[in-house]
Amino acid sequence: MVTKGEMLENVISALQAGNTIMQACDGPNTPHRSTLRLWMLRNNDIANKILTARRLGGWALFDKLVEDQTPPSEKLAAMKYLITKLIPTQE
């Protein structure tokens, strides 16, 4: 049986790679996204880990954008928008 901690690590790894929460929670040994959100609401440590993973995922997407040698304007605009949503401004 997979533990909650193992499920969280699976989600965190997927988010750090630039996946969305929906994608990260779609694989085996992961919680449903509504369960993940509930865990985040109930536990600030989990919420902070998930938010950090999403920020790192945003940077992973940025790296993919920079490394991509074929930047169509539509793809570029979509990636910029996505990155701004994944990497919130620090207050």
Side-chain angles (χ1 to χ4, degrees):
M1 177 140 181
V2 180
T3 67
K4 180 178 178 178
E6 291 169 331
M7 287 192 282
L8 275 173
E9 285 303 316
N10 292 337
V11 170
I12 287 168
S13 293
L15 292 173
Q16 289 173 340
N19 292 300
T20 65
I21 285 181
M22 184 180 282
Q23 293 167 326
C25 292
D26 192 39
N29 301 321
T30 59
H32 188 272
R33 64 184 180 272
S34 63
T35 301
L36 181 65
R37 288 192 176 105
L38 184 62
W39 291 350
M40 292 172 67
L41 288 171
R42 292 182 176 172
N43 186 313
N44 284 336
D45 185 50
I46 291 173
N48 288 331
K49 286 179 182 181
I50 296 298
L51 291 174
T52 298
R54 293 195 76 187
R55 285 186 190 103
L56 292 171
W59 285 110
L61 291 175
F62 177 78
D63 289 343
K64 288 177 188 177
L65 174 65
V66 170
E67 293 168 2
D68 188 359
Q69 299 299 315
T70 317
S73 60
E74 296 86 25
K75 181 179 176 184
L76 183 62
M79 291 289 282
K80 284 181 180 179
Y81 175 79
L82 181 59
I83 289 168
T84 62
K85 298 305 172 197
L86 288 176
I87 305 173
T89 57
Q90 299 291 322
E91 294 183 23

